[in-house]
């Protein structure tokens, strides 16, 4: 499955808010992506040499493996 999250970042690259932009169609995948990405730290965006807040889209892929 694949979930795409819309993530708002502050000037330090920390997640300020996030939402599902494109659902996998399976709520547990969507919920797991939200719960995980909220703790990620990103490299801050820059404008004119200064770190700035921004919004990005983050794809999260899930694969189910048979043992």
């Amino acid at each position: 499955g694949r979930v795409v999250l819309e993530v708002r970042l502050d000037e330090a690259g920390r997640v300020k808010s996030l939402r599902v932009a494109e659902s996998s169609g399976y709520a547990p995948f969507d919920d797991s992506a939200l719960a995980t990405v909220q703790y990620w730290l990103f490299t801050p965006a820059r404008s004119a040499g200064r770190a700035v807040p921004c919004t990005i889209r983050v794809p999260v892929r899930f694969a189910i493996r048979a043992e």
Side-chain angles (χ1 to χ4, degrees):
R2 179 176 179 257
V3 180
V4 178
L5 302 179
E6 184 176 278
V7 183
R8 286 187 14 184
L9 305 173
D10 67 11
E11 57 280 338
R14 292 181 301 251
V15 174
K16 296 310 284 180
S17 67
L18 67 166
R19 70 174 189 87
V20 174
E22 296 175 27
S23 174
S24 67
Y26 185 60
F29 284 171
D30 296 351
D31 295 342
S32 180
L34 288 166
T36 299
V37 173
Q38 72 179 342
Y39 296 107
W40 289 6
L41 180 63
F42 294 83
T43 301
R46 296 204 168 269
S47 178
R50 295 181 48 177
V52 294
C54 68
T55 301
I56 61 172
R57 291 171 68 92
V58 177
V60 179
R61 294 187 186 271
F62 293 88
I64 299 173
R65 295 184 211 158
E67 294 289 324

